[in-house]
Amino acid sequence: MPARLSEVFRAHPVHLHDNNIEFESVQEVPDSHAWPQVIDYPSEDLYDVQEVPIIDLMDPNAAKLVGNACETWGVFQVTNHGIPIHLLEEVESEGRRLFQLPAQQKLKAARPPNGISGYGRARINAFFPKLMWSEGFTIVGSPVEDARQLWPQEYKTFCDAMEEYQKEMKKLSTRLMWIMLGSLGITQEDLKWGALKGESEVTSAALQLNSYPPCPEPKRAMGLAAHTDSTLLTVLYQNSTSGLQVLKDGVQWVTVPPKTGALVVNIGDLLHILSNGRFMSVLHRAVVHRTRHRLSLAYLYGPPSNIQISPFSKLIDQKHPPLYHPVTWSEYLGRKAKHFNKALSTVRLCGPQNGFIDMNDQNRMKVEW
Ligand SMILES: O=C(O)CCC(=O)C(=O)O
Ligand SMILES: [Fe+2]
């Protein structure tokens, strides 16, 4: 198994660079991008009946609220998170500068079929017969090599902004992880790799830039199809155009409305595993807008890629048997590349029994605690 994040897709190449369209110039959604009736928008009166929690990290109750949101939603927004607004504005503007480049220029930094970083479509396109209304750029470690392909001269402002952002995101994600684990009674002693320093650290995250151009027929297109993240947790910055939706209780898509300066945090499959099913790895997707361009930056935070992840023994007892067998992040990414949304069930240890049913299993029913 590959130990480095950059190598995890070597055995799972995907060829996604055909059929490129100039999104901005088309008058209607071409057949290659037309999804049959997928966007079952909730009707206006259902829209936001339930609201994704917004948590002020300075609130003395923040830890409790975070724990609760992880168990009931698997997603929340945070304010007072310490990331300076000017940095958010800077990465947004650099991201926009990237996606505004001509297609031929962007393709100079095309993500290789078996690689992880660079420009291209979301890998999950490979699981669907239709293409998504989006483009992306993935950064693992330093973006400099790819950025030089895009801008032989002016790559530095992009790299500086993205590197600073990754540094800040890493601090925030680590802080959030400990708040979440704390709510489960997990301490530093229970998570040895949490204190690891050294080379393995730098490979434990990826930064995914997503661009969703305006779409003449938004209901016939899909920005990013429903998926869970293969991370511990993801921190997402979205610009002022809405599009992110999360599935609540397996039945209702709820929009996560953009809130100036706030960040969206969602649980990924690995924290779901560590928490033995107690935290939800939330199913989410991105829809598109008729006139507005949407940009998002997802910081995909994971453990060192070769460390075994399994449910904490503290969370296991007779009533709560372990739900998953150990898996490393790089191994899990390989499973995701092969099985997509069924990856979690491939590491599942025991089936649902006596009301002990996992929120993330195929039937999407609730764990009783
Ligand atoms: O653009 C969004 O809101 C969602 C992005 C996302 O889910 C991802 O990059 O994994
Ligand atoms: Fe995602």
Side-chain angles (χ1 to χ4, degrees):
M1 266 293 145
R4 299 184 72 88
L5 208 52
S6 52
E7 292 164 11
V8 294
F9 298 132
R10 288 246 166 106
H12 306 279
V14 285
H15 297 270
L16 295 167
H17 295 301
D18 302 337
N19 227 338
N20 284 306
I21 58 164
E22 290 277 358
F23 288 111
E24 259 80 8
S25 62
V26 297
Q27 302 297 311
E28 57 180 49
V29 171
D31 186 54
S32 55
H33 289 68
W35 288 57
Q37 312 282 308
V38 281
I39 313 277
D40 45 347
Y41 280 107
S43 63
E44 285 304 313
D45 43 328
L46 265 179
Y47 192 81
D48 291 349
V49 165
Q50 305 192 69
E51 285 180 12
V52 172
I54 298 176
I55 301 172
D56 176 350
L57 277 190
M58 304 286 262
D59 184 326
N61 262 332
K64 198 159 164 248
L65 297 170
V66 165
N68 192 40
C70 293
E71 294 192 29
T72 56
W73 281 86
V75 63
F76 54 94
Q77 300 209 61
V78 275
T79 58
N80 273 319
H81 42 62
I83 309 293
I85 195 100
H86 71 82
L87 183 57
L88 299 176
E89 286 166 358
E90 218 168 296
V91 288
E92 179 179 337
S93 117
E94 287 299 317
R96 204 177 285 280
R97 186 161 80 92
L98 186 160
F99 291 112
Q100 277 168 353
L101 287 170
Q104 281 319 308
Q105 192 64 20
K106 288 183 277 194
L107 284 169
K108 288 187 178 160
R111 188 192 313 122
N114 62 357
I116 196 166
S117 49
Y119 168 79
R121 297 197 171 104
R123 282 185 63 93
I124 64 171
N125 261 289
F127 293 94
F128 298 92
K130 298 292 181 169
L131 294 169
M132 295 169 205
W133 203 266
S134 58
E135 37 182 344
F137 186 82
T138 315
I139 300 171
V140 175
S142 166
V144 86
E145 220 175 287
D146 286 323
R148 267 206 184 123
Q149 304 301 317
L150 300 173
W151 304 280
Q153 315 297 333
E154 307 103 26
Y155 59 89
K156 197 170 170 340
T157 49
F158 179 86
C159 294
D160 288 350
M162 296 303 156
E163 281 174 8
E164 176 66 12
Y165 189 67
Q166 289 184 96
K167 216 168 74 200
E168 290 293 325
M169 280 292 126
K170 182 166 193 143
K171 273 195 273 174
L172 176 62
S173 304
T174 307
R175 178 175 161 211
L176 287 165
M177 179 184 76
W178 283 114
I179 295 175
M180 291 167 180
L181 294 180
S183 79
L184 297 173
I186 302 298
T187 63
Q188 306 251 353
E189 268 101 76
D190 302 313
L191 190 77
K192 299 280 181 298
W193 57 261
L196 276 183
K197 294 262 177 292
E199 217 236 331
S200 55
E201 265 197 332
V202 292
T203 59
S204 65
L207 180 59
Q208 173 67 32
L209 279 59
N210 300 301
S211 165
Y212 306 93
C215 176
E217 301 170 284
K219 293 190 185 186
R220 295 183 65 218
M222 174 58 83
L224 197 58
H227 65 281
T228 59
D229 291 344
S230 308
T231 53
L232 286 168
L233 61 91
T234 302
V235 181
L236 183 110
Y237 170 69
Q238 54 177 342
N239 73 351
S240 58
T241 300
S242 67
L244 176 64
Q245 299 185 328
V246 296
L247 192 65
K248 179 70 171 120
D249 301 330
V251 292
Q252 192 197 353
W253 286 105
V254 177
T255 297
V256 186
K259 179 171 166 56
T260 309
L263 294 164
V264 183
V265 181
N266 70 265
I267 297 291
D269 296 346
L270 296 188
L271 254 183
H272 172 77
I273 293 173
L274 280 174
S275 69
N276 204 26
R278 207 151 132 184
F279 289 167
M280 284 188 58
S281 173
V282 70
L283 199 66
H284 56 284
R285 69 181 185 184
V287 297
V288 291
H289 198 274
R290 187 181 298 278
T291 54
R292 299 181 59 148
H293 178 256
R294 178 164 183 271
L295 187 87
S296 74
L297 282 88
Y299 184 75
L300 306 161
Y301 178 71
S305 56
N306 53 354
I307 297 271
Q308 297 285 348
I309 297 299
S310 55
F312 285 112
S313 48
K314 263 191 183 165
L315 305 177
I316 293 169
D317 58 30
Q318 252 190 336
K319 270 176 74 192
H320 304 104
L323 285 177
Y324 296 98
H325 62 71
V327 64
T328 67
W329 195 19
S330 76
E331 190 191 336
Y332 191 71
L333 286 168
R335 284 173 188 256
K336 198 73 165 226
K338 201 161 160 199
H339 304 288
F340 187 42
N341 280 347
K342 295 201 172 74
L344 204 47
S345 55
T346 71
V347 285
R348 209 171 150 109
L349 212 47
C350 54
Q353 42 176 275
N354 300 337
F356 185 67
I357 299 167
D358 177 354
M359 200 64 178
N360 278 101
D361 81 0
Q362 292 305 301
N363 301 318
R364 312 202 58 74
M365 288 181 281
K366 193 158 173 43
V367 181
E368 300 299 338
W369 280 88

